[in-house]
Amino acid sequence: MGHTFYVTTPIYYVNDVPHIGHAYSTVVADVLARFHRQNGDTVFFLTGTDEHGQKVAKAAKAKQLEPQAHVDQMVVPYKDLWHRYAISNDHFIRTTEASHQAVVQKIFKRLLDQGDIYKGLYEGWYCVHEETFWPESQLKDKKCPDCGREVDWVKEESYYFKTSKYKKRLLEHIHSNPEFIRPKVRENEVVSLLKDDLQDVAVSRMTLNWGIPIPFDPDHVVYVWFDALINYLSGVGYLQDEKKFLRFWPPVHIIGKDILKFHAIIWPSMLMALDVELPKTIVATGFWTLGKEKISKSRGKVVDPHELADDLGVDAVRYFLMREVPLGQDGEFTYEALVRRTNHDLANDFGNLIHRTLPMINRFLDGRIPAAPAKPNLTKELAAKATGAISEYKESMANLDTKSALENIWTMLAAANKFVDQSEPWNLKKEDREEELKEVLWGLAEVIRIAALLTAPFMPTTSELIFEQLGLDTKPADQPFKDFLKWGKLTEQPEIKLSAPLFPRVD
Ligand code: ME8
Protein backbone atom coordinates (compact mmCIF):
# COMPACT_ATOMS: atom_id res chain seq x y z
CA MET A 1 0.00 0.00 0.00
CA GLY A 2 1.21 3.49 -0.84
CA HIS A 3 1.39 6.49 1.45
CA THR A 4 -1.55 8.47 2.65
CA PHE A 5 -1.70 12.22 3.08
CA TYR A 6 -4.30 14.03 5.17
CA VAL A 7 -4.46 17.81 4.78
CA THR A 8 -6.87 20.31 6.32
CA THR A 9 -7.76 24.00 6.10
CA PRO A 10 -9.12 26.08 8.96
CA ILE A 11 -12.88 25.73 9.03
CA TYR A 12 -14.16 29.22 8.36
CA TYR A 13 -16.62 31.19 10.43
CA VAL A 14 -19.81 31.75 8.52
CA ASN A 15 -20.36 35.23 9.90
CA ASP A 16 -19.62 36.64 6.48
CA VAL A 17 -18.67 35.74 2.92
CA PRO A 18 -15.12 34.54 2.16
CA HIS A 19 -12.40 36.95 1.05
CA ILE A 20 -9.02 36.39 -0.56
CA GLY A 21 -7.39 35.42 2.78
CA HIS A 22 -9.74 32.46 3.13
CA ALA A 23 -9.19 31.53 -0.51
CA TYR A 24 -5.46 31.60 0.14
CA SER A 25 -5.42 28.99 2.94
CA THR A 26 -7.71 26.78 0.91
CA VAL A 27 -5.57 27.08 -2.23
CA VAL A 28 -2.43 26.23 -0.24
CA ALA A 29 -4.07 23.05 1.03
CA ASP A 30 -5.35 22.25 -2.45
CA VAL A 31 -1.90 22.60 -4.00
CA LEU A 32 -0.47 20.18 -1.44
CA ALA A 33 -3.36 17.76 -1.90
CA ARG A 34 -2.97 17.77 -5.69
CA PHE A 35 0.80 17.43 -5.46
CA HIS A 36 0.49 14.39 -3.21
CA ARG A 37 -2.12 12.76 -5.45
CA GLN A 38 0.17 13.26 -8.42
CA ASN A 39 2.89 11.68 -6.32
CA GLY A 40 0.81 8.56 -5.96
CA ASP A 41 -0.37 9.10 -2.38
CA THR A 42 -3.93 8.45 -1.28
CA VAL A 43 -5.12 11.85 -0.17
CA PHE A 44 -7.84 13.01 2.16
CA PHE A 45 -8.38 16.75 1.93
CA LEU A 46 -10.80 18.28 4.43
CA THR A 47 -12.26 21.77 4.57
CA GLY A 48 -15.49 23.11 6.00
CA THR A 49 -17.26 25.72 8.08
CA ASP A 50 -17.24 26.71 11.74
CA GLU A 51 -20.87 27.46 12.41
CA HIS A 52 -21.34 27.88 16.15
CA GLY A 53 -20.38 30.56 18.63
CA GLN A 54 -21.17 34.11 19.55
CA LYS A 55 -19.72 35.72 16.44
CA VAL A 56 -21.94 33.69 14.11
CA ALA A 57 -24.95 34.11 16.43
CA LYS A 58 -24.41 37.86 16.35
CA ALA A 59 -24.26 37.91 12.54
CA ALA A 60 -27.52 35.93 12.41
CA LYS A 61 -29.17 38.33 14.79
CA ALA A 62 -28.09 41.31 12.73
CA LYS A 63 -29.91 39.75 9.79
CA GLN A 64 -32.89 38.87 11.99
CA LEU A 65 -32.45 35.22 11.17
CA GLU A 66 -32.42 32.13 13.33
CA PRO A 67 -28.79 30.98 13.60
CA GLN A 68 -29.52 27.73 11.77
CA ALA A 69 -31.19 29.57 8.87
CA HIS A 70 -28.26 31.98 8.76
CA VAL A 71 -25.60 29.27 8.62
CA ASP A 72 -27.53 27.30 6.03
CA GLN A 73 -27.45 30.41 3.86
CA MET A 74 -23.89 31.38 4.57
CA VAL A 75 -22.30 28.02 3.87
CA VAL A 76 -23.29 28.39 0.22
CA PRO A 77 -20.82 31.16 -0.73
CA TYR A 78 -17.99 29.03 0.70
CA LYS A 79 -18.96 25.94 -1.25
CA ASP A 80 -19.46 28.02 -4.39
CA LEU A 81 -16.10 29.72 -4.09
CA TRP A 82 -14.26 26.42 -3.59
CA HIS A 83 -16.01 25.05 -6.63
CA ARG A 84 -15.00 28.03 -8.71
CA TYR A 85 -11.40 27.89 -7.44
CA ALA A 86 -11.10 24.21 -8.43
CA ILE A 87 -10.63 23.13 -4.82
CA SER A 88 -10.38 19.35 -4.75
CA ASN A 89 -11.49 18.69 -1.17
CA ASP A 90 -12.65 15.14 -0.47
CA HIS A 91 -15.07 16.21 2.20
CA PHE A 92 -16.70 19.39 3.48
CA ILE A 93 -17.57 19.42 7.16
CA ARG A 94 -20.08 21.67 8.89
CA THR A 95 -19.93 21.80 12.67
CA THR A 96 -23.73 21.88 12.89
CA GLU A 97 -23.93 18.36 11.44
CA ALA A 98 -25.32 15.77 13.84
CA SER A 99 -22.37 13.41 13.34
CA HIS A 100 -19.83 16.08 14.32
CA GLN A 101 -21.88 17.18 17.30
CA ALA A 102 -22.08 13.61 18.59
CA VAL A 103 -18.29 13.22 18.40
CA VAL A 104 -17.77 16.48 20.29
CA GLN A 105 -20.19 15.41 23.00
CA LYS A 106 -18.49 12.03 23.38
CA ILE A 107 -15.06 13.62 23.63
CA PHE A 108 -16.28 16.15 26.18
CA LYS A 109 -17.77 13.40 28.34
CA ARG A 110 -14.70 11.23 28.12
CA LEU A 111 -12.35 14.04 29.12
CA LEU A 112 -14.64 14.93 32.00
CA ASP A 113 -14.77 11.29 33.16
CA GLN A 114 -11.03 10.95 33.08
CA GLY A 115 -10.52 14.21 34.95
CA ASP A 116 -9.07 16.32 32.14
CA ILE A 117 -12.13 18.54 32.19
CA TYR A 118 -13.39 20.00 35.46
CA LYS A 119 -15.94 22.59 36.51
CA GLY A 120 -14.93 26.02 37.71
CA LEU A 121 -15.80 29.67 37.43
CA TYR A 122 -14.64 31.95 34.63
CA GLU A 123 -14.19 35.55 35.49
CA GLY A 124 -12.47 37.61 32.87
CA TRP A 125 -12.74 39.10 29.42
CA TYR A 126 -13.96 37.69 26.12
CA CYS A 127 -13.40 38.92 22.58
CA VAL A 128 -16.33 37.88 20.40
CA HIS A 129 -14.50 38.58 17.16
CA GLU A 130 -11.61 36.30 18.06
CA GLU A 131 -13.84 34.01 20.16
CA THR A 132 -11.11 34.15 22.79
CA PHE A 133 -11.00 34.35 26.58
CA TRP A 134 -8.50 36.94 27.80
CA PRO A 135 -7.22 37.38 31.34
CA GLU A 136 -7.03 41.04 32.34
CA SER A 137 -3.23 40.93 32.33
CA GLN A 138 -3.10 40.12 28.61
CA LEU A 139 -5.33 42.94 27.35
CA LYS A 140 -3.73 45.80 25.46
CA ASP A 141 -5.14 49.19 26.44
CA LYS A 142 -8.19 47.32 27.75
CA LYS A 143 -8.80 45.92 24.25
CA CYS A 144 -8.32 42.54 22.59
CA PRO A 145 -4.57 42.09 22.08
CA ASP A 146 -5.16 40.26 18.78
CA CYS A 147 -7.69 42.42 16.97
CA GLY A 148 -7.87 45.59 19.05
CA ARG A 149 -11.62 45.38 19.52
CA GLU A 150 -13.65 45.99 22.69
CA VAL A 151 -13.88 42.96 24.96
CA ASP A 152 -16.82 41.82 27.09
CA TRP A 153 -16.68 41.09 30.82
CA VAL A 154 -17.75 37.52 31.47
CA LYS A 155 -18.47 35.92 34.80
CA GLU A 156 -19.94 32.48 34.50
CA GLU A 157 -19.65 28.92 35.66
CA SER A 158 -17.45 27.16 33.17
CA TYR A 159 -15.86 23.84 32.40
CA TYR A 160 -12.09 23.92 32.07
CA PHE A 161 -9.73 21.72 30.14
CA LYS A 162 -6.39 20.92 31.79
CA THR A 163 -4.03 22.30 29.19
CA SER A 164 -1.44 22.86 31.88
CA LYS A 165 -1.14 19.13 32.51
CA TYR A 166 0.25 18.55 29.00
CA LYS A 167 2.61 21.47 28.80
CA LYS A 168 5.77 19.53 29.55
CA ARG A 169 5.01 16.71 27.13
CA LEU A 170 4.12 19.21 24.45
CA LEU A 171 7.39 21.09 24.86
CA GLU A 172 9.28 17.83 24.56
CA HIS A 173 7.34 16.91 21.45
CA ILE A 174 8.11 20.26 19.85
CA HIS A 175 11.80 19.92 20.62
CA SER A 176 12.08 16.45 19.21
CA ASN A 177 9.94 17.13 16.10
CA PRO A 178 11.30 20.02 14.06
CA GLU A 179 8.58 19.35 11.44
CA PHE A 180 5.78 19.90 13.94
CA ILE A 181 5.40 23.67 13.66
CA ARG A 182 6.39 25.48 10.50
CA PRO A 183 7.92 27.94 9.88
CA LYS A 184 10.51 28.01 12.63
CA VAL A 185 9.59 31.51 13.85
CA ARG A 186 6.13 30.21 14.77
CA GLU A 187 7.69 27.35 16.68
CA ASN A 188 9.65 29.85 18.74
CA GLU A 189 6.47 31.79 19.39
CA VAL A 190 4.70 28.69 20.69
CA VAL A 191 7.64 27.68 22.86
CA SER A 192 7.71 31.07 24.52
CA LEU A 193 3.94 30.99 25.10
CA LEU A 194 4.35 27.58 26.70
CA LYS A 195 7.15 28.80 28.92
CA ASP A 196 4.88 31.58 30.17
CA ASP A 197 2.40 30.76 32.83
CA LEU A 198 0.06 28.46 30.87
CA GLN A 199 -3.51 28.52 32.21
CA ASP A 200 -6.16 25.87 31.74
CA VAL A 201 -8.71 26.94 29.13
CA ALA A 202 -12.43 27.41 29.55
CA VAL A 203 -14.27 25.05 27.21
CA SER A 204 -17.93 25.86 27.80
CA ARG A 205 -20.22 28.90 27.69
CA MET A 206 -23.33 29.68 29.67
CA THR A 207 -24.41 33.04 28.34
CA LEU A 208 -24.91 31.69 24.87
CA ASN A 209 -27.03 28.93 23.46
CA TRP A 210 -25.74 28.73 19.86
CA GLY A 211 -23.38 25.87 20.43
CA ILE A 212 -23.25 22.12 20.94
CA PRO A 213 -25.26 21.27 24.05
CA ILE A 214 -23.63 19.48 26.94
CA PRO A 215 -26.22 16.76 27.48
CA PHE A 216 -25.64 16.23 31.20
CA ASP A 217 -25.54 19.96 31.97
CA PRO A 218 -28.08 21.78 29.82
CA ASP A 219 -27.11 25.27 31.00
CA HIS A 220 -23.84 24.98 29.09
CA VAL A 221 -22.81 24.75 25.47
CA VAL A 222 -19.37 23.69 24.24
CA TYR A 223 -16.96 26.57 23.63
CA VAL A 224 -16.71 27.18 19.89
CA TRP A 225 -12.97 26.48 19.62
CA PHE A 226 -13.22 23.17 21.48
CA ASP A 227 -16.03 22.26 19.08
CA ALA A 228 -14.22 23.50 15.95
CA LEU A 229 -10.85 21.82 16.50
CA ILE A 230 -12.56 18.47 16.77
CA ASN A 231 -13.65 18.76 13.12
CA TYR A 232 -10.23 17.42 12.17
CA LEU A 233 -11.13 14.19 13.98
CA SER A 234 -14.84 13.94 13.23
CA GLY A 235 -14.27 14.81 9.56
CA VAL A 236 -12.04 11.79 9.00
CA GLY A 237 -14.12 9.14 10.73
CA TYR A 238 -12.97 9.30 14.37
CA LEU A 239 -15.46 7.36 16.55
CA GLN A 240 -17.45 6.68 13.37
CA ASP A 241 -15.31 4.95 10.77
CA GLU A 242 -12.26 3.81 12.67
CA LYS A 243 -10.67 2.22 9.62
CA LYS A 244 -10.74 5.43 7.66
CA PHE A 245 -9.51 7.40 10.64
CA LEU A 246 -6.54 5.11 11.23
CA ARG A 247 -5.71 5.10 7.56
CA PHE A 248 -5.33 8.87 7.23
CA TRP A 249 -4.36 10.17 10.65
CA PRO A 250 -2.15 12.19 11.45
CA PRO A 251 -2.92 15.36 9.47
CA VAL A 252 -1.04 18.31 8.08
CA HIS A 253 -2.90 21.44 9.19
CA ILE A 254 -2.82 24.58 7.08
CA ILE A 255 -3.77 27.53 9.27
CA GLY A 256 -3.19 31.27 9.48
CA LYS A 257 -0.74 32.54 12.06
CA ASP A 258 -3.67 34.19 13.89
CA ILE A 259 -4.91 30.82 15.13
CA LEU A 260 -1.58 29.27 16.01
CA LYS A 261 -2.16 29.16 19.77
CA PHE A 262 -5.31 27.10 19.35
CA HIS A 263 -3.67 24.66 16.97
CA ALA A 264 -0.25 24.33 18.52
CA ILE A 265 -1.14 24.39 22.22
CA ILE A 266 -4.78 23.61 22.97
CA TRP A 267 -5.33 21.13 20.14
CA PRO A 268 -2.26 18.96 20.80
CA SER A 269 -3.14 18.94 24.50
CA MET A 270 -6.63 17.69 23.66
CA LEU A 271 -5.13 14.99 21.45
CA MET A 272 -2.71 13.89 24.15
CA ALA A 273 -5.61 13.63 26.58
CA LEU A 274 -7.39 11.44 24.02
CA ASP A 275 -4.29 9.34 23.35
CA VAL A 276 -4.35 10.29 19.70
CA GLU A 277 -1.13 10.86 17.77
CA LEU A 278 -0.28 14.55 17.29
CA PRO A 279 -0.52 16.25 13.86
CA LYS A 280 2.42 15.70 11.55
CA THR A 281 2.81 19.39 10.77
CA ILE A 282 1.07 22.64 11.55
CA VAL A 283 1.82 25.12 8.79
CA ALA A 284 1.10 28.69 9.85
CA THR A 285 0.72 30.96 6.84
CA GLY A 286 1.09 34.74 6.90
CA PHE A 287 -1.46 37.45 6.20
CA TRP A 288 -2.40 39.17 3.00
CA THR A 289 -2.48 42.85 3.78
CA LEU A 290 -3.88 45.97 2.16
CA GLY A 291 -1.99 49.08 3.10
CA LYS A 292 -0.11 46.86 5.58
CA GLU A 293 -3.33 46.04 7.39
CA LYS A 294 -4.62 42.47 7.52
CA ILE A 295 -7.36 41.95 4.96
CA SER A 296 -10.54 41.26 6.87
CA LYS A 297 -14.16 41.72 5.99
CA SER A 298 -15.15 43.48 9.15
CA ARG A 299 -12.49 46.12 8.69
CA GLY A 300 -14.04 46.99 5.38
CA LYS A 301 -10.92 45.82 3.60
CA VAL A 302 -12.08 43.23 1.19
CA VAL A 303 -10.63 41.66 -1.85
CA ASP A 304 -13.34 39.62 -3.52
CA PRO A 305 -11.95 36.37 -4.96
CA HIS A 306 -14.79 36.25 -7.50
CA GLU A 307 -13.95 39.65 -8.92
CA LEU A 308 -10.29 38.69 -9.25
CA ALA A 309 -11.27 35.50 -11.05
CA ASP A 310 -13.57 37.48 -13.37
CA ASP A 311 -10.71 39.79 -14.30
CA LEU A 312 -7.76 37.41 -14.51
CA GLY A 313 -9.02 33.84 -14.37
CA VAL A 314 -8.85 31.46 -11.43
CA ASP A 315 -5.49 29.93 -12.30
CA ALA A 316 -3.76 33.30 -12.56
CA VAL A 317 -5.02 34.19 -9.08
CA ARG A 318 -3.97 30.80 -7.68
CA TYR A 319 -0.57 31.25 -9.29
CA PHE A 320 -0.16 34.74 -7.89
CA LEU A 321 -1.08 33.69 -4.35
CA MET A 322 1.47 30.89 -4.40
CA ARG A 323 4.23 32.74 -6.23
CA GLU A 324 4.19 36.16 -4.64
CA VAL A 325 5.18 35.28 -1.07
CA PRO A 326 6.89 32.33 0.61
CA LEU A 327 4.61 30.20 2.76
CA GLY A 328 4.55 31.71 6.23
CA GLN A 329 5.28 35.33 5.34
CA ASP A 330 2.92 38.25 5.00
CA GLY A 331 2.26 39.73 1.59
CA GLU A 332 0.90 43.07 0.52
CA PHE A 333 -1.91 42.51 -1.94
CA THR A 334 -1.83 44.84 -4.88
CA TYR A 335 -3.69 44.64 -8.13
CA GLU A 336 -0.56 45.88 -9.91
CA ALA A 337 1.49 42.95 -8.65
CA LEU A 338 -1.22 40.53 -9.69
CA VAL A 339 -1.38 42.02 -13.19
CA ARG A 340 2.42 42.10 -13.44
CA ARG A 341 2.69 38.41 -12.55
CA THR A 342 -0.06 37.54 -15.00
CA ASN A 343 1.50 39.42 -17.88
CA HIS A 344 5.12 38.73 -17.15
CA ASP A 345 5.26 35.19 -15.77
CA LEU A 346 2.19 33.70 -17.38
CA ALA A 347 1.62 35.53 -20.67
CA ASN A 348 5.28 36.19 -21.50
CA ASP A 349 7.34 33.39 -20.04
CA PHE A 350 4.96 30.45 -20.12
CA GLY A 351 2.40 31.60 -22.70
CA ASN A 352 4.93 32.69 -25.29
CA LEU A 353 6.80 29.43 -25.14
CA ILE A 354 3.58 27.57 -25.90
CA HIS A 355 2.36 30.02 -28.50
CA ARG A 356 5.66 30.07 -30.34
CA THR A 357 6.30 26.35 -30.24
CA LEU A 358 2.93 24.94 -31.20
CA PRO A 359 2.38 27.06 -34.35
CA MET A 360 5.85 26.01 -35.56
CA ILE A 361 4.92 22.36 -35.06
CA ASN A 362 1.76 23.15 -36.94
CA ARG A 363 3.49 24.86 -39.88
CA PHE A 364 6.75 22.95 -40.13
CA LEU A 365 5.66 19.45 -39.09
CA ASP A 366 2.01 19.29 -40.17
CA GLY A 367 0.83 19.58 -36.58
CA ARG A 368 2.51 16.36 -35.49
CA ILE A 369 4.79 16.14 -32.51
CA PRO A 370 7.61 13.90 -33.72
CA ALA A 371 9.00 10.93 -31.84
CA ALA A 372 11.73 11.52 -29.27
CA PRO A 373 15.16 11.71 -30.94
CA ALA A 374 16.96 8.37 -31.05
CA LYS A 375 20.31 10.09 -30.52
CA PRO A 376 19.75 13.40 -28.75
CA ASN A 377 22.16 16.08 -29.75
CA LEU A 378 20.76 19.62 -29.81
CA THR A 379 18.41 19.00 -26.86
CA LYS A 380 21.00 17.56 -24.49
CA GLU A 381 21.49 20.76 -22.55
CA LEU A 382 17.77 21.46 -22.40
CA ALA A 383 17.20 17.94 -21.07
CA ALA A 384 19.75 18.55 -18.33
CA LYS A 385 18.07 21.85 -17.40
CA ALA A 386 14.66 20.20 -17.20
CA THR A 387 15.97 17.28 -15.17
CA GLY A 388 17.62 19.69 -12.76
CA ALA A 389 14.42 21.73 -12.45
CA ILE A 390 12.41 18.59 -11.71
CA SER A 391 14.66 17.53 -8.88
CA GLU A 392 14.79 21.02 -7.40
CA TYR A 393 11.01 21.28 -7.63
CA LYS A 394 10.60 18.00 -5.77
CA GLU A 395 12.93 19.17 -3.06
CA SER A 396 11.16 22.51 -2.73
CA MET A 397 7.77 20.83 -2.45
CA ALA A 398 9.08 18.41 0.15
CA ASN A 399 10.17 21.45 2.17
CA LEU A 400 6.75 23.08 1.73
CA ASP A 401 8.54 25.80 -0.19
CA THR A 402 5.88 26.26 -2.82
CA LYS A 403 7.20 29.61 -4.02
CA SER A 404 10.61 28.12 -4.82
CA ALA A 405 8.93 25.18 -6.53
CA LEU A 406 7.33 27.62 -8.95
CA GLU A 407 10.62 29.42 -9.41
CA ASN A 408 12.26 26.11 -10.30
CA ILE A 409 9.71 25.66 -13.09
CA TRP A 410 10.29 29.17 -14.36
CA THR A 411 14.04 28.59 -14.55
CA MET A 412 13.32 25.76 -16.95
CA LEU A 413 10.91 27.92 -18.96
CA ALA A 414 13.54 30.64 -19.30
CA ALA A 415 16.03 28.08 -20.59
CA ALA A 416 13.48 26.85 -23.12
CA ASN A 417 12.68 30.35 -24.38
CA LYS A 418 16.37 30.95 -24.84
CA PHE A 419 16.68 27.66 -26.67
CA VAL A 420 14.06 28.77 -29.21
CA ASP A 421 16.14 31.84 -30.03
CA GLN A 422 19.39 29.95 -30.19
CA SER A 423 18.25 26.96 -32.20
CA GLU A 424 16.25 29.07 -34.68
CA PRO A 425 13.86 26.38 -35.87
CA TRP A 426 12.73 28.62 -38.77
CA ASN A 427 16.24 28.45 -40.22
CA LEU A 428 16.41 24.70 -39.74
CA LYS A 429 13.22 24.54 -41.77
CA LYS A 430 14.59 26.84 -44.46
CA GLU A 431 17.74 24.78 -44.74
CA ASP A 432 15.81 21.51 -44.81
CA ARG A 433 17.58 20.16 -41.75
CA GLU A 434 14.65 17.92 -40.99
CA GLU A 435 16.07 15.73 -38.22
CA GLU A 436 17.41 18.70 -36.28
CA LEU A 437 14.14 20.57 -36.71
CA LYS A 438 12.24 17.59 -35.34
CA GLU A 439 14.54 17.24 -32.39
CA VAL A 440 14.30 20.91 -31.47
CA LEU A 441 10.53 21.09 -31.69
CA TRP A 442 10.08 17.78 -29.89
CA GLY A 443 12.36 19.10 -27.11
CA LEU A 444 10.32 22.27 -26.75
CA ALA A 445 7.07 20.33 -26.64
CA GLU A 446 8.61 18.10 -23.98
CA VAL A 447 9.46 21.12 -21.83
CA ILE A 448 5.87 22.29 -22.21
CA ARG A 449 4.52 18.88 -21.14
CA ILE A 450 6.80 18.82 -18.11
CA ALA A 451 5.89 22.40 -17.19
CA ALA A 452 2.21 21.49 -17.43
CA LEU A 453 2.77 18.53 -15.12
CA LEU A 454 4.75 20.56 -12.61
CA THR A 455 2.22 23.40 -12.59
CA ALA A 456 -0.75 21.03 -12.39
CA PRO A 457 -1.11 21.31 -8.58
CA PHE A 458 -1.07 25.10 -8.88
CA MET A 459 -3.02 25.70 -12.09
CA PRO A 460 -5.07 22.54 -12.59
CA THR A 461 -7.39 23.85 -15.29
CA THR A 462 -4.71 25.45 -17.42
CA SER A 463 -2.46 22.45 -17.26
CA GLU A 464 -5.28 20.29 -18.61
CA LEU A 465 -5.71 22.73 -21.49
CA ILE A 466 -2.01 22.54 -22.24
CA PHE A 467 -2.21 18.75 -22.44
CA GLU A 468 -5.12 19.14 -24.84
CA GLN A 469 -3.15 21.54 -27.00
CA LEU A 470 -0.27 19.10 -27.16
CA GLY A 471 -2.81 16.62 -28.48
CA LEU A 472 -2.37 14.25 -25.55
CA ASP A 473 -5.40 12.15 -24.83
CA THR A 474 -4.66 12.00 -21.10
CA LYS A 475 -4.92 14.60 -18.38
CA PRO A 476 -1.96 15.63 -16.21
CA ALA A 477 -3.62 13.83 -13.30
CA ASP A 478 -3.28 10.61 -15.32
CA GLN A 479 0.47 11.02 -15.55
CA PRO A 480 1.76 10.19 -12.07
CA PHE A 481 5.08 11.84 -11.26
CA LYS A 482 6.73 8.51 -10.60
CA ASP A 483 6.36 7.39 -14.21
CA PHE A 484 5.99 10.58 -16.21
CA LEU A 485 7.93 13.32 -14.51
CA LYS A 486 11.03 12.50 -16.51
CA TRP A 487 12.60 13.92 -19.59
CA GLY A 488 11.80 11.88 -22.67
CA LYS A 489 8.32 10.65 -21.85
CA LEU A 490 6.63 12.65 -24.59
CA THR A 491 5.78 10.31 -27.43
CA GLU A 492 4.82 11.06 -30.99
CA GLN A 493 1.45 12.85 -31.16
CA PRO A 494 -0.63 12.86 -34.30
CA GLU A 495 -2.38 16.18 -33.86
CA ILE A 496 -1.75 19.26 -31.76
CA LYS A 497 -4.64 21.65 -31.18
CA LEU A 498 -4.03 25.35 -31.44
CA SER A 499 -6.33 27.61 -29.50
CA ALA A 500 -6.72 31.09 -28.13
CA PRO A 501 -3.96 32.27 -25.77
CA LEU A 502 -3.98 30.38 -22.48
CA PHE A 503 -2.86 33.44 -20.56
CA PRO A 504 -4.36 36.54 -22.10
CA ARG A 505 -2.55 39.74 -21.23
CA VAL A 506 -4.44 42.11 -18.96
CA ASP A 507 -4.21 45.86 -18.58
O1 ME8 B 1 -10.40 31.56 12.67
N1 ME8 B 1 -4.52 36.63 4.96
O2 ME8 B 1 -12.05 31.23 11.08
P1 ME8 B 1 -11.90 32.52 10.14
C1 ME8 B 1 -4.31 35.30 4.94
N2 ME8 B 1 -13.18 29.42 12.58
N3 ME8 B 1 -5.14 34.41 5.48
C2 ME8 B 1 -6.26 34.86 6.06
C3 ME8 B 1 -6.56 36.24 6.13
C4 ME8 B 1 -5.63 37.14 5.53
N4 ME8 B 1 -5.83 38.47 5.51
N5 ME8 B 1 -7.73 36.38 6.76
C5 ME8 B 1 -8.15 35.12 7.08
C6 ME8 B 1 -11.35 30.96 12.23
N6 ME8 B 1 -7.26 34.20 6.64
C7 ME8 B 1 -11.83 29.70 12.94
C8 ME8 B 1 -10.90 28.56 12.58
S1 ME8 B 1 -10.14 26.01 12.72
C9 ME8 B 1 -10.51 24.70 13.73
C10 ME8 B 1 -11.25 27.26 13.22
C11 ME8 B 1 -7.36 32.74 6.78
O3 ME8 B 1 -13.08 32.49 9.24
C12 ME8 B 1 -6.28 32.20 7.72
O4 ME8 B 1 -6.03 30.85 7.41
O5 ME8 B 1 -11.65 33.71 10.95
C13 ME8 B 1 -6.98 32.28 9.05
O6 ME8 B 1 -6.40 31.44 10.01
C14 ME8 B 1 -8.36 31.84 8.67
O7 ME8 B 1 -8.59 32.41 7.38
C15 ME8 B 1 -9.36 32.33 9.69
O8 ME8 B 1 -10.64 32.16 9.23
Side-chain angles (χ1 to χ4, degrees), residues 10-11 13 19 21-22 25 50 225 232 256 258-259 286-288 295:
I11 50 170
Y13 287 127
H19 58 65
H22 305 120
S25 312
D50 192 352
W225 266 103
Y232 302 132
D258 51 334
I259 54 177
F287 293 150
W288 287 98
I295 294 176

Side-chain angles (χ1 to χ4, degrees), residues 80-318:
D80 285 351
L81 186 65
W82 304 154
H83 182 70
R84 180 156 193 204
Y85 268 67
I87 302 302
S88 64
N89 56 300
D90 297 288
H91 185 52
F92 187 102
I93 187 165
R94 299 179 58 186
T95 54
T96 49
E97 280 163 40
S99 53
H100 168 77
Q101 302 207 40
V103 173
V104 172
Q105 288 173 331
K106 281 184 196 155
I107 289 177
F108 199 97
K109 180 76 170 46
R110 171 171 162 192
L111 297 183
L112 183 83
D113 290 347
Q114 69 186 40
D116 280 303
I117 286 180
Y118 60 92
K119 212 172 195 176
L121 177 76
Y122 181 76
E123 206 170 345
W125 299 94
Y126 192 82
C127 171
V128 176
H129 186 261
E130 302 293 330
E131 297 278 19
T132 302
F133 296 99
W134 294 112
E136 175 100 31
S137 60
Q138 290 181 18
L139 296 184
K140 244 194 228 149
D141 304 325
K142 305 204 164 138
K143 302 237 167 78
C144 171
D146 277 359
C147 71
R149 288 184 180 75
E150 298 283 339
V151 284
D152 300 332
W153 177 253
V154 175
K155 184 175 177 184
E156 61 190 24
E157 188 185 73
S158 181
Y159 286 93
Y160 278 90
F161 171 66
K162 281 189 185 162
T163 331
S164 56
K165 177 172 155 190
Y166 297 98
K167 168 175 166 161
K168 196 162 159 266
R169 254 177 78 189
L170 181 53
L171 269 169
E172 282 163 12
H173 183 85
I174 293 172
H175 287 313
S176 47
N177 292 276
E179 298 287 290
F180 184 53
I181 303 171
R182 304 277 300 265
K184 189 82 184 166
V185 354
R186 301 293 160 226
E187 178 186 311
N188 300 340
E189 202 177 302
V190 170
V191 168
S192 76
L193 280 172
L194 280 169
K195 285 187 174 154
D196 279 357
D197 178 29
L198 183 70
Q199 309 275 326
D200 291 344
V201 287
V203 290
S204 71
R205 299 294 316 272
M206 264 187 108
T207 40
L208 174 79
N209 59 16
W210 184 237
I212 299 179
I214 297 177
F216 48 87
D217 200 345
D219 291 339
H220 293 260
V221 297
V222 176
Y223 169 46
V224 64
W225 266 103
F226 189 88
D227 161 355
L229 288 164
I230 290 172
N231 94 84
Y232 302 132
L233 286 171
S234 64
V236 70
Y238 184 71
L239 300 185
Q240 305 145 83
D241 180 347
E242 228 34 32
K243 212 173 131 203
K244 178 176 178 189
F245 168 67
L246 291 172
R247 178 153 191 231
F248 288 107
W249 197 266
V252 170
H253 294 310
I254 307 301
I255 59 160
K257 63 180 183 181
D258 51 334
I259 54 177
L260 181 65
K261 188 173 63 182
F262 297 99
H263 283 82
I265 297 180
I266 299 175
W267 177 230
S269 307
M270 288 164 65
L271 291 171
M272 284 190 267
L274 292 169
D275 262 325
V276 171
E277 196 182 332
L278 299 195
K280 207 181 301 170
T281 304
I282 299 164
V283 184
T285 57
F287 293 150
W288 287 98
T289 57
L290 265 188
K292 297 287 167 210
E293 251 194 85
K294 181 184 173 198
I295 294 176
S296 97
K297 183 86 187 179
S298 31
R299 286 189 195 169
K301 301 224 171 214
V302 202
V303 179
D304 179 0
H306 283 291
E307 270 173 33
L308 297 177
D310 290 343
D311 292 350
L312 296 129
V314 164
D315 278 353
V317 181
R318 287 176 59 118

Side-chain angles (χ1 to χ4, degrees), residues 315-316 319-324 337-354 403 406-407 409-411 413-414 417 455 459 503-505:
D315 278 353
Y319 172 80
F320 171 78
L321 293 175
M322 300 304 297
R323 175 71 189 256
E324 192 68 6
L338 178 55
V339 168
R340 201 179 330 117
R341 286 274 177 211
T342 305
N343 286 340
H344 185 267
D345 302 8
L346 297 179
N348 285 357
D349 296 344
F350 200 1
N352 276 351
L353 179 66
I354 297 169
K403 176 178 165 65
L406 286 170
E407 284 163 1
I409 307 171
W410 258 253
T411 307
L413 293 175
N417 276 316
T455 50
M459 301 191 285
F503 304 106
R505 296 183 66 85

